[in-house]
Amino acid sequence: MGDIITIKNPLDMHLHLREGEILEAVFPYTYERFIGGVVMPNLSIPISNTQLALDYQHTLKTLNPSFLPLIALYLTDTLTQAELHKAHHHGLKILKLYPKGATTNSQNGVSEILNPHTLELLEEAQKLEMILSIHAESNGYSLDREYEFLPIIEELASSFPKLKIIIEHLSDHRSIEVLEKHANLFATLTLHHITLSLDDMLGGGLKPHLFCKPILKTPKDRDTLLSLALQAHPKISFGSDSAPHLESKKLSPSGSAGIFSAPMLLEQLCELFEKHNALENLQAFVSDNAIKNYNLDIKSEKTITLQKKSQSIPLEISLQQDRIIPLNAGMSCNWKII
Ligand code: DOR
Ligand code: ZN
């Protein structure tokens, strides 16, 4: 393929853009690389109704009119069928399910997933052809949380066979069998779960900036998931889960979970796919699979061209007398957007 690669309509199907100053500081890294993506609703006031989603969409559009923000609606215990219909009517197509307390700003998440209220909403979401995106973790032992959640995924997948369900940020190789078993199950993969294992976070000095949920797992998990990405497995789309936190929060006793990977994501994916002789599958992994699996109707076409040329990943993004440290800060990346 030579030293130049062109990617058509790159999409990031899972990202946290936050709000206020952090939003303004981090959003350009995404809109300079991706034409759109799934924006997560776990803001300080969760995006739990249509109006909040439309307001957030408006804020994002004001900052960058060409980025297509697919805002996920936060599924709470108080979401009503009427509100779900309203959301659908206004073009929201993704519902995000956080088990209560599983991660950052998930205190409004669903307390009991298989309860009648949630199931009725999911029945309706299925009728409306919405997509259910799940933070699939139990509250058990960190390394087994995704595995322990699989029975719930299976129950939902078989109860709602026409509802497309996305296992977000797949991190455990034991989930793959379940993903393959149900036609309506799909997944996203992050850059960090396919390149890092738990030892990168705590095998040497402790690296709080690599603490995320789901937690990084074993080399076997990492390598198995990497091979799925490199083949551009048709049920899997790229979703960075880029999750910026101020360093003061990362280092505080409550230790916020989240890896800020947005800077140079596409460049790093190019480097990774090239290293494994899989550059020809990058287009499917960062765009085509998502367009198919989320039934996206992309109106205008945009291409991003990258050239093999070395550059450094920023050391930090400074703001509010504080800073946000990116994934692989200061390391060199040998692809550059031109
Ligand atoms: O590491 C994570 N950070 N995992 C999540 O699920 C949420 C995210 C965040 O919002 O910071
Ligand atoms: Zn996330």
Side-chain angles (χ1 to χ4, degrees), residues 76-113:
T76 62
D77 285 335
T78 52
L79 186 69
T80 62
Q81 302 249 358
E83 191 57 39
L84 194 64
H85 278 261
K86 186 173 170 196
H88 176 257
H89 176 75
H90 285 274
L92 302 176
K93 52 192 294 167
I94 299 171
L95 262 185
K96 177 73 192 256
L97 191 160
Y98 288 103
K100 197 181 184 74
T103 189
T104 307
N105 290 340
S106 63
Q107 56 278 18
N108 296 292
V110 174
S111 43
E112 181 69 56
I113 294 162

PDB file of all heavy atoms in Angstrom, residues 76-113:
ATOM      1  N   THR A  76     -32.352   5.181  32.264  1.00  0.00           N
ATOM      2  CA  THR A  76     -32.446   5.254  33.730  1.00  0.00           C
ATOM      3  C   THR A  76     -33.706   4.521  34.188  1.00  0.00           C
ATOM      4  O   THR A  76     -34.580   4.197  33.378  1.00  0.00           O
ATOM      5  CB  THR A  76     -32.559   6.714  34.214  1.00  0.00           C
ATOM      6  OG1 THR A  76     -33.771   7.249  33.667  1.00  0.00           O
ATOM      7  CG2 THR A  76     -31.389   7.563  33.769  1.00  0.00           C
ATOM      8  N   ASP A  77     -33.807   4.329  35.492  1.00  0.00           N
ATOM      9  CA  ASP A  77     -35.000   3.675  36.038  1.00  0.00           C
ATOM     10  C   ASP A  77     -36.253   4.522  35.818  1.00  0.00           C
ATOM     11  O   ASP A  77     -37.367   4.019  35.916  1.00  0.00           O
ATOM     12  CB  ASP A  77     -34.809   3.423  37.549  1.00  0.00           C
ATOM     13  CG  ASP A  77     -33.853   2.263  37.810  1.00  0.00           C
ATOM     14  OD1 ASP A  77     -33.713   1.392  36.926  1.00  0.00           O
ATOM     15  OD2 ASP A  77     -33.236   2.225  38.895  1.00  0.00           O
ATOM     16  N   THR A  78     -36.074   5.814  35.534  1.00  0.00           N
ATOM     17  CA  THR A  78     -37.247   6.681  35.385  1.00  0.00           C
ATOM     18  C   THR A  78     -37.579   7.007  33.924  1.00  0.00           C
ATOM     19  O   THR A  78     -38.504   7.765  33.662  1.00  0.00           O
ATOM     20  CB  THR A  78     -37.050   8.006  36.158  1.00  0.00           C
ATOM     21  OG1 THR A  78     -35.801   8.569  35.751  1.00  0.00           O
ATOM     22  CG2 THR A  78     -37.023   7.784  37.658  1.00  0.00           C
ATOM     23  N   LEU A  79     -36.858   6.432  32.985  1.00  0.00           N
ATOM     24  CA  LEU A  79     -37.175   6.671  31.568  1.00  0.00           C
ATOM     25  C   LEU A  79     -38.551   6.071  31.266  1.00  0.00           C
ATOM     26  O   LEU A  79     -38.857   4.961  31.684  1.00  0.00           O
ATOM     27  CB  LEU A  79     -36.100   6.027  30.672  1.00  0.00           C
ATOM     28  CG  LEU A  79     -36.222   6.304  29.180  1.00  0.00           C
ATOM     29  CD1 LEU A  79     -35.930   7.770  28.849  1.00  0.00           C
ATOM     30  CD2 LEU A  79     -35.263   5.414  28.374  1.00  0.00           C
ATOM     31  N   THR A  80     -39.380   6.835  30.537  1.00  0.00           N
ATOM     32  CA  THR A  80     -40.728   6.334  30.224  1.00  0.00           C
ATOM     33  C   THR A  80     -40.813   5.926  28.752  1.00  0.00           C
ATOM     34  O   THR A  80     -39.987   6.330  27.936  1.00  0.00           O
ATOM     35  CB  THR A  80     -41.791   7.425  30.478  1.00  0.00           C
ATOM     36  OG1 THR A  80     -41.494   8.524  29.598  1.00  0.00           O
ATOM     37  CG2 THR A  80     -41.780   7.906  31.923  1.00  0.00           C
ATOM     38  N   GLN A  81     -41.868   5.178  28.448  1.00  0.00           N
ATOM     39  CA  GLN A  81     -42.096   4.777  27.052  1.00  0.00           C
ATOM     40  C   GLN A  81     -42.329   6.017  26.185  1.00  0.00           C
ATOM     41  O   GLN A  81     -41.851   6.090  25.056  1.00  0.00           O
ATOM     42  CB  GLN A  81     -43.357   3.900  26.966  1.00  0.00           C
ATOM     43  CG  GLN A  81     -43.292   2.676  27.826  1.00  0.00           C
ATOM     44  CD  GLN A  81     -43.200   1.403  27.000  1.00  0.00           C
ATOM     45  OE1 GLN A  81     -43.233   1.465  25.782  1.00  0.00           O
ATOM     46  NE2 GLN A  81     -43.083   0.288  27.658  1.00  0.00           N
ATOM     47  N   ALA A  82     -43.069   6.983  26.742  1.00  0.00           N
ATOM     48  CA  ALA A  82     -43.364   8.201  25.980  1.00  0.00           C
ATOM     49  C   ALA A  82     -42.065   8.929  25.634  1.00  0.00           C
ATOM     50  O   ALA A  82     -41.878   9.415  24.509  1.00  0.00           O
ATOM     51  CB  ALA A  82     -44.284   9.112  26.789  1.00  0.00           C
ATOM     52  N   GLU A  83     -41.157   8.981  26.602  1.00  0.00           N
ATOM     53  CA  GLU A  83     -39.880   9.666  26.364  1.00  0.00           C
ATOM     54  C   GLU A  83     -39.050   8.909  25.332  1.00  0.00           C
ATOM     55  O   GLU A  83     -38.373   9.518  24.492  1.00  0.00           O
ATOM     56  CB  GLU A  83     -39.123   9.785  27.699  1.00  0.00           C
ATOM     57  CG  GLU A  83     -37.925  10.698  27.665  1.00  0.00           C
ATOM     58  CD  GLU A  83     -38.202  12.136  27.219  1.00  0.00           C
ATOM     59  OE1 GLU A  83     -39.246  12.698  27.605  1.00  0.00           O
ATOM     60  OE2 GLU A  83     -37.368  12.692  26.462  1.00  0.00           O
ATOM     61  N   LEU A  84     -39.152   7.604  25.365  1.00  0.00           N
ATOM     62  CA  LEU A  84     -38.421   6.792  24.389  1.00  0.00           C
ATOM     63  C   LEU A  84     -38.936   7.085  22.967  1.00  0.00           C
ATOM     64  O   LEU A  84     -38.156   7.253  22.024  1.00  0.00           O
ATOM     65  CB  LEU A  84     -38.608   5.308  24.738  1.00  0.00           C
ATOM     66  CG  LEU A  84     -37.679   4.332  24.048  1.00  0.00           C
ATOM     67  CD1 LEU A  84     -36.232   4.581  24.482  1.00  0.00           C
ATOM     68  CD2 LEU A  84     -38.058   2.892  24.404  1.00  0.00           C
ATOM     69  N   HIS A  85     -40.265   7.177  22.838  1.00  0.00           N
ATOM     70  CA  HIS A  85     -40.859   7.508  21.536  1.00  0.00           C
ATOM     71  C   HIS A  85     -40.426   8.891  21.073  1.00  0.00           C
ATOM     72  O   HIS A  85     -40.128   9.104  19.904  1.00  0.00           O
ATOM     73  CB  HIS A  85     -42.391   7.425  21.619  1.00  0.00           C
ATOM     74  CG  HIS A  85     -42.883   6.020  21.464  1.00  0.00           C
ATOM     75  ND1 HIS A  85     -43.360   5.526  20.274  1.00  0.00           N
ATOM     76  CD2 HIS A  85     -42.923   4.992  22.350  1.00  0.00           C
ATOM     77  CE1 HIS A  85     -43.683   4.243  20.438  1.00  0.00           C
ATOM     78  NE2 HIS A  85     -43.438   3.899  21.680  1.00  0.00           N
ATOM     79  N   LYS A  86     -40.408   9.824  22.017  1.00  0.00           N
ATOM     80  CA  LYS A  86     -39.999  11.194  21.688  1.00  0.00           C
ATOM     81  C   LYS A  86     -38.544  11.188  21.182  1.00  0.00           C
ATOM     82  O   LYS A  86     -38.211  11.824  20.176  1.00  0.00           O
ATOM     83  CB  LYS A  86     -40.141  12.076  22.936  1.00  0.00           C
ATOM     84  CG  LYS A  86     -39.875  13.543  22.693  1.00  0.00           C
ATOM     85  CD  LYS A  86     -40.203  14.351  23.944  1.00  0.00           C
ATOM     86  CE  LYS A  86     -39.703  15.784  23.792  1.00  0.00           C
ATOM     87  NZ  LYS A  86     -39.649  16.494  25.057  1.00  0.00           N
ATOM     88  N   ALA A  87     -37.704  10.458  21.882  1.00  0.00           N
ATOM     89  CA  ALA A  87     -36.284  10.378  21.489  1.00  0.00           C
ATOM     90  C   ALA A  87     -36.154   9.820  20.076  1.00  0.00           C
ATOM     91  O   ALA A  87     -35.437  10.366  19.230  1.00  0.00           O
ATOM     92  CB  ALA A  87     -35.526   9.491  22.475  1.00  0.00           C
ATOM     93  N   HIS A  88     -36.892   8.773  19.828  1.00  0.00           N
ATOM     94  CA  HIS A  88     -36.853   8.146  18.504  1.00  0.00           C
ATOM     95  C   HIS A  88     -37.339   9.120  17.441  1.00  0.00           C
ATOM     96  O   HIS A  88     -36.748   9.270  16.372  1.00  0.00           O
ATOM     97  CB  HIS A  88     -37.707   6.874  18.533  1.00  0.00           C
ATOM     98  CG  HIS A  88     -37.814   6.202  17.212  1.00  0.00           C
ATOM     99  ND1 HIS A  88     -38.936   6.280  16.415  1.00  0.00           N
ATOM    100  CD2 HIS A  88     -36.906   5.461  16.522  1.00  0.00           C
ATOM    101  CE1 HIS A  88     -38.720   5.599  15.311  1.00  0.00           C
ATOM    102  NE2 HIS A  88     -37.510   5.097  15.340  1.00  0.00           N
ATOM    103  N   HIS A  89     -38.411   9.820  17.767  1.00  0.00           N
ATOM    104  CA  HIS A  89     -38.982  10.804  16.847  1.00  0.00           C
ATOM    105  C   HIS A  89     -37.959  11.890  16.484  1.00  0.00           C
ATOM    106  O   HIS A  89     -37.932  12.397  15.368  1.00  0.00           O
ATOM    107  CB  HIS A  89     -40.227  11.422  17.510  1.00  0.00           C
ATOM    108  CG  HIS A  89     -40.849  12.508  16.697  1.00  0.00           C
ATOM    109  ND1 HIS A  89     -41.592  12.242  15.568  1.00  0.00           N
ATOM    110  CD2 HIS A  89     -40.818  13.855  16.831  1.00  0.00           C
ATOM    111  CE1 HIS A  89     -41.985  13.383  15.037  1.00  0.00           C
ATOM    112  NE2 HIS A  89     -41.536  14.387  15.785  1.00  0.00           N
ATOM    113  N   HIS A  90     -37.112  12.228  17.431  1.00  0.00           N
ATOM    114  CA  HIS A  90     -36.102  13.263  17.182  1.00  0.00           C
ATOM    115  C   HIS A  90     -34.786  12.694  16.662  1.00  0.00           C
ATOM    116  O   HIS A  90     -33.765  13.383  16.647  1.00  0.00           O
ATOM    117  CB  HIS A  90     -35.866  14.094  18.451  1.00  0.00           C
ATOM    118  CG  HIS A  90     -36.992  15.052  18.721  1.00  0.00           C
ATOM    119  ND1 HIS A  90     -37.059  16.304  18.157  1.00  0.00           N
ATOM    120  CD2 HIS A  90     -38.112  14.914  19.472  1.00  0.00           C
ATOM    121  CE1 HIS A  90     -38.169  16.916  18.562  1.00  0.00           C
ATOM    122  NE2 HIS A  90     -38.822  16.091  19.363  1.00  0.00           N
ATOM    123  N   GLY A  91     -34.821  11.438  16.260  1.00  0.00           N
ATOM    124  CA  GLY A  91     -33.659  10.866  15.572  1.00  0.00           C
ATOM    125  C   GLY A  91     -32.611  10.232  16.469  1.00  0.00           C
ATOM    126  O   GLY A  91     -31.536   9.855  15.991  1.00  0.00           O
ATOM    127  N   LEU A  92     -32.899  10.116  17.766  1.00  0.00           N
ATOM    128  CA  LEU A  92     -31.920   9.437  18.626  1.00  0.00           C
ATOM    129  C   LEU A  92     -32.090   7.939  18.407  1.00  0.00           C
ATOM    130  O   LEU A  92     -33.203   7.429  18.427  1.00  0.00           O
ATOM    131  CB  LEU A  92     -32.152   9.798  20.096  1.00  0.00           C
ATOM    132  CG  LEU A  92     -32.073  11.291  20.419  1.00  0.00           C
ATOM    133  CD1 LEU A  92     -32.419  11.539  21.888  1.00  0.00           C
ATOM    134  CD2 LEU A  92     -30.680  11.849  20.119  1.00  0.00           C
ATOM    135  N   LYS A  93     -30.999   7.258  18.179  1.00  0.00           N
ATOM    136  CA  LYS A  93     -31.170   5.835  17.870  1.00  0.00           C
ATOM    137  C   LYS A  93     -30.436   4.899  18.815  1.00  0.00           C
ATOM    138  O   LYS A  93     -30.554   3.689  18.712  1.00  0.00           O
ATOM    139  CB  LYS A  93     -30.799   5.547  16.407  1.00  0.00           C
ATOM    140  CG  LYS A  93     -29.430   6.064  15.964  1.00  0.00           C
ATOM    141  CD  LYS A  93     -29.270   5.997  14.457  1.00  0.00           C
ATOM    142  CE  LYS A  93     -29.253   4.563  13.952  1.00  0.00           C
ATOM    143  NZ  LYS A  93     -29.393   4.439  12.529  1.00  0.00           N
ATOM    144  N   ILE A  94     -29.672   5.466  19.747  1.00  0.00           N
ATOM    145  CA  ILE A  94     -28.891   4.594  20.628  1.00  0.00           C
ATOM    146  C   ILE A  94     -29.279   4.805  22.089  1.00  0.00           C
ATOM    147  O   ILE A  94     -29.388   5.938  22.558  1.00  0.00           O
ATOM    148  CB  ILE A  94     -27.384   4.856  20.433  1.00  0.00           C
ATOM    149  CG1 ILE A  94     -27.029   4.537  18.969  1.00  0.00           C
ATOM    150  CG2 ILE A  94     -26.542   4.032  21.403  1.00  0.00           C
ATOM    151  CD1 ILE A  94     -25.653   4.933  18.557  1.00  0.00           C
ATOM    152  N   LEU A  95     -29.517   3.716  22.777  1.00  0.00           N
ATOM    153  CA  LEU A  95     -29.824   3.747  24.210  1.00  0.00           C
ATOM    154  C   LEU A  95     -28.623   3.191  24.947  1.00  0.00           C
ATOM    155  O   LEU A  95     -28.121   2.129  24.581  1.00  0.00           O
ATOM    156  CB  LEU A  95     -30.962   2.769  24.494  1.00  0.00           C
ATOM    157  CG  LEU A  95     -32.382   3.248  24.615  1.00  0.00           C
ATOM    158  CD1 LEU A  95     -33.258   2.056  25.014  1.00  0.00           C
ATOM    159  CD2 LEU A  95     -32.497   4.345  25.668  1.00  0.00           C
ATOM    160  N   LYS A  96     -28.163   3.887  25.990  1.00  0.00           N
ATOM    161  CA  LYS A  96     -26.991   3.386  26.709  1.00  0.00           C
ATOM    162  C   LYS A  96     -27.385   2.851  28.072  1.00  0.00           C
ATOM    163  O   LYS A  96     -27.982   3.573  28.880  1.00  0.00           O
ATOM    164  CB  LYS A  96     -25.957   4.505  26.858  1.00  0.00           C
ATOM    165  CG  LYS A  96     -24.724   4.124  27.664  1.00  0.00           C
ATOM    166  CD  LYS A  96     -23.798   3.180  26.909  1.00  0.00           C
ATOM    167  CE  LYS A  96     -22.721   2.567  27.790  1.00  0.00           C
ATOM    168  NZ  LYS A  96     -21.410   3.125  27.617  1.00  0.00           N
ATOM    169  N   LEU A  97     -27.053   1.611  28.305  1.00  0.00           N
ATOM    170  CA  LEU A  97     -27.354   0.993  29.599  1.00  0.00           C
ATOM    171  C   LEU A  97     -26.086   0.878  30.447  1.00  0.00           C
ATOM    172  O   LEU A  97     -25.129   0.217  30.042  1.00  0.00           O
ATOM    173  CB  LEU A  97     -27.962  -0.398  29.368  1.00  0.00           C
ATOM    174  CG  LEU A  97     -28.595  -1.103  30.580  1.00  0.00           C
ATOM    175  CD1 LEU A  97     -29.547  -2.186  30.108  1.00  0.00           C
ATOM    176  CD2 LEU A  97     -27.591  -1.694  31.532  1.00  0.00           C
ATOM    177  N   TYR A  98     -26.093   1.588  31.577  1.00  0.00           N
ATOM    178  CA  TYR A  98     -25.034   1.420  32.569  1.00  0.00           C
ATOM    179  C   TYR A  98     -25.651   0.712  33.765  1.00  0.00           C
ATOM    180  O   TYR A  98     -26.636   1.217  34.319  1.00  0.00           O
ATOM    181  CB  TYR A  98     -24.541   2.784  33.087  1.00  0.00           C
ATOM    182  CG  TYR A  98     -23.722   3.611  32.139  1.00  0.00           C
ATOM    183  CD1 TYR A  98     -24.296   4.691  31.479  1.00  0.00           C
ATOM    184  CD2 TYR A  98     -22.374   3.347  31.933  1.00  0.00           C
ATOM    185  CE1 TYR A  98     -23.538   5.479  30.616  1.00  0.00           C
ATOM    186  CE2 TYR A  98     -21.611   4.130  31.088  1.00  0.00           C
ATOM    187  CZ  TYR A  98     -22.200   5.198  30.427  1.00  0.00           C
ATOM    188  OH  TYR A  98     -21.453   5.985  29.589  1.00  0.00           O
ATOM    189  N   PRO A  99     -25.066  -0.409  34.194  1.00  0.00           N
ATOM    190  CA  PRO A  99     -25.519  -0.928  35.491  1.00  0.00           C
ATOM    191  C   PRO A  99     -25.174   0.129  36.540  1.00  0.00           C
ATOM    192  O   PRO A  99     -24.091   0.723  36.476  1.00  0.00           O
ATOM    193  CB  PRO A  99     -24.677  -2.187  35.685  1.00  0.00           C
ATOM    194  CG  PRO A  99     -24.091  -2.498  34.339  1.00  0.00           C
ATOM    195  CD  PRO A  99     -23.992  -1.205  33.603  1.00  0.00           C
ATOM    196  N   LYS A 100     -26.084   0.362  37.453  1.00  0.00           N
ATOM    197  CA  LYS A 100     -25.879   1.413  38.470  1.00  0.00           C
ATOM    198  C   LYS A 100     -24.524   1.264  39.163  1.00  0.00           C
ATOM    199  O   LYS A 100     -24.177   0.179  39.639  1.00  0.00           O
ATOM    200  CB  LYS A 100     -27.002   1.301  39.503  1.00  0.00           C
ATOM    201  CG  LYS A 100     -27.208   2.506  40.374  1.00  0.00           C
ATOM    202  CD  LYS A 100     -28.348   2.203  41.350  1.00  0.00           C
ATOM    203  CE  LYS A 100     -28.686   3.393  42.211  1.00  0.00           C
ATOM    204  NZ  LYS A 100     -29.395   4.430  41.485  1.00  0.00           N
ATOM    205  N   GLY A 101     -23.750   2.335  39.161  1.00  0.00           N
ATOM    206  CA  GLY A 101     -22.480   2.341  39.900  1.00  0.00           C
ATOM    207  C   GLY A 101     -21.312   1.654  39.198  1.00  0.00           C
ATOM    208  O   GLY A 101     -20.216   1.591  39.750  1.00  0.00           O
ATOM    209  N   ALA A 102     -21.514   1.175  37.965  1.00  0.00           N
ATOM    210  CA  ALA A 102     -20.433   0.411  37.322  1.00  0.00           C
ATOM    211  C   ALA A 102     -19.227   1.266  36.942  1.00  0.00           C
ATOM    212  O   ALA A 102     -18.106   0.778  36.901  1.00  0.00           O
ATOM    213  CB  ALA A 102     -20.959  -0.314  36.078  1.00  0.00           C
ATOM    214  N   THR A 103     -19.466   2.555  36.660  1.00  0.00           N
ATOM    215  CA  THR A 103     -18.346   3.384  36.193  1.00  0.00           C
ATOM    216  C   THR A 103     -18.625   4.858  36.434  1.00  0.00           C
ATOM    217  O   THR A 103     -19.564   5.208  37.151  1.00  0.00           O
ATOM    218  CB  THR A 103     -18.053   3.045  34.709  1.00  0.00           C
ATOM    219  OG1 THR A 103     -16.836   3.689  34.324  1.00  0.00           O
ATOM    220  CG2 THR A 103     -19.174   3.491  33.781  1.00  0.00           C
ATOM    221  N   THR A 104     -17.820   5.743  35.824  1.00  0.00           N
ATOM    222  CA  THR A 104     -17.953   7.193  35.988  1.00  0.00           C
ATOM    223  C   THR A 104     -19.397   7.660  35.710  1.00  0.00           C
ATOM    224  O   THR A 104     -19.962   7.322  34.678  1.00  0.00           O
ATOM    225  CB  THR A 104     -17.001   7.909  34.995  1.00  0.00           C
ATOM    226  OG1 THR A 104     -15.697   7.382  35.163  1.00  0.00           O
ATOM    227  CG2 THR A 104     -16.995   9.407  35.198  1.00  0.00           C
ATOM    228  N   ASN A 105     -19.933   8.449  36.621  1.00  0.00           N
ATOM    229  CA  ASN A 105     -21.288   8.993  36.470  1.00  0.00           C
ATOM    230  C   ASN A 105     -22.329   7.946  36.077  1.00  0.00           C
ATOM    231  O   ASN A 105     -23.143   8.170  35.198  1.00  0.00           O
ATOM    232  CB  ASN A 105     -21.310  10.147  35.453  1.00  0.00           C
ATOM    233  CG  ASN A 105     -20.607  11.374  35.989  1.00  0.00           C
ATOM    234  OD1 ASN A 105     -20.429  11.514  37.201  1.00  0.00           O
ATOM    235  ND2 ASN A 105     -20.184  12.260  35.100  1.00  0.00           N
ATOM    236  N   SER A 106     -22.287   6.823  36.736  1.00  0.00           N
ATOM    237  CA  SER A 106     -23.292   5.795  36.440  1.00  0.00           C
ATOM    238  C   SER A 106     -24.245   5.605  37.617  1.00  0.00           C
ATOM    239  O   SER A 106     -24.974   4.629  37.679  1.00  0.00           O
ATOM    240  CB  SER A 106     -22.618   4.466  36.075  1.00  0.00           C
ATOM    241  OG  SER A 106     -21.888   3.994  37.176  1.00  0.00           O
ATOM    242  N   GLN A 107     -24.238   6.596  38.540  1.00  0.00           N
ATOM    243  CA  GLN A 107     -25.125   6.461  39.702  1.00  0.00           C
ATOM    244  C   GLN A 107     -26.598   6.507  39.304  1.00  0.00           C
ATOM    245  O   GLN A 107     -27.464   6.080  40.054  1.00  0.00           O
ATOM    246  CB  GLN A 107     -24.799   7.508  40.792  1.00  0.00           C
ATOM    247  CG  GLN A 107     -24.821   8.946  40.373  1.00  0.00           C
ATOM    248  CD  GLN A 107     -23.507   9.392  39.695  1.00  0.00           C
ATOM    249  OE1 GLN A 107     -22.711   8.568  39.251  1.00  0.00           O
ATOM    250  NE2 GLN A 107     -23.311  10.695  39.585  1.00  0.00           N
ATOM    251  N   ASN A 108     -26.892   7.033  38.090  1.00  0.00           N
ATOM    252  CA  ASN A 108     -28.274   7.010  37.611  1.00  0.00           C
ATOM    253  C   ASN A 108     -28.565   5.794  36.739  1.00  0.00           C
ATOM    254  O   ASN A 108     -29.586   5.730  36.071  1.00  0.00           O
ATOM    255  CB  ASN A 108     -28.573   8.275  36.794  1.00  0.00           C
ATOM    256  CG  ASN A 108     -28.470   9.507  37.652  1.00  0.00           C
ATOM    257  OD1 ASN A 108     -29.278   9.711  38.541  1.00  0.00           O
ATOM    258  ND2 ASN A 108     -27.443  10.314  37.428  1.00  0.00           N
ATOM    259  N   GLY A 109     -27.632   4.874  36.693  1.00  0.00           N
ATOM    260  CA  GLY A 109     -27.810   3.682  35.855  1.00  0.00           C
ATOM    261  C   GLY A 109     -28.920   2.782  36.376  1.00  0.00           C
ATOM    262  O   GLY A 109     -29.526   3.031  37.422  1.00  0.00           O
ATOM    263  N   VAL A 110     -29.153   1.715  35.624  1.00  0.00           N
ATOM    264  CA  VAL A 110     -30.260   0.816  35.939  1.00  0.00           C
ATOM    265  C   VAL A 110     -29.881  -0.054  37.137  1.00  0.00           C
ATOM    266  O   VAL A 110     -28.827  -0.681  37.160  1.00  0.00           O
ATOM    267  CB  VAL A 110     -30.562  -0.056  34.695  1.00  0.00           C
ATOM    268  CG1 VAL A 110     -31.603  -1.107  35.006  1.00  0.00           C
ATOM    269  CG2 VAL A 110     -31.017   0.826  33.539  1.00  0.00           C
ATOM    270  N   SER A 111     -30.769  -0.066  38.164  1.00  0.00           N
ATOM    271  CA  SER A 111     -30.422  -0.800  39.377  1.00  0.00           C
ATOM    272  C   SER A 111     -30.628  -2.301  39.193  1.00  0.00           C
ATOM    273  O   SER A 111     -29.862  -3.111  39.696  1.00  0.00           O
ATOM    274  CB  SER A 111     -31.208  -0.268  40.569  1.00  0.00           C
ATOM    275  OG  SER A 111     -32.538  -0.050  40.197  1.00  0.00           O
ATOM    276  N   GLU A 112     -31.659  -2.659  38.465  1.00  0.00           N
ATOM    277  CA  GLU A 112     -31.965  -4.093  38.272  1.00  0.00           C
ATOM    278  C   GLU A 112     -32.262  -4.256  36.778  1.00  0.00           C
ATOM    279  O   GLU A 112     -33.303  -3.797  36.305  1.00  0.00           O
ATOM    280  CB  GLU A 112     -33.191  -4.423  39.136  1.00  0.00           C
ATOM    281  CG  GLU A 112     -33.662  -5.846  39.093  1.00  0.00           C
ATOM    282  CD  GLU A 112     -32.701  -6.807  39.764  1.00  0.00           C
ATOM    283  OE1 GLU A 112     -32.382  -6.589  40.945  1.00  0.00           O
ATOM    284  OE2 GLU A 112     -32.267  -7.750  39.076  1.00  0.00           O
ATOM    285  N   ILE A 113     -31.328  -4.881  36.059  1.00  0.00           N
ATOM    286  CA  ILE A 113     -31.471  -4.865  34.603  1.00  0.00           C
ATOM    287  C   ILE A 113     -32.652  -5.694  34.108  1.00  0.00           C
ATOM    288  O   ILE A 113     -33.418  -5.258  33.260  1.00  0.00           O
ATOM    289  CB  ILE A 113     -30.150  -5.301  33.937  1.00  0.00           C
ATOM    290  CG1 ILE A 113     -29.122  -4.213  34.262  1.00  0.00           C
ATOM    291  CG2 ILE A 113     -30.297  -5.443  32.417  1.00  0.00           C
ATOM    292  CD1 ILE A 113     -27.714  -4.601  34.082  1.00  0.00           C
TER     293      ILE A 113
END
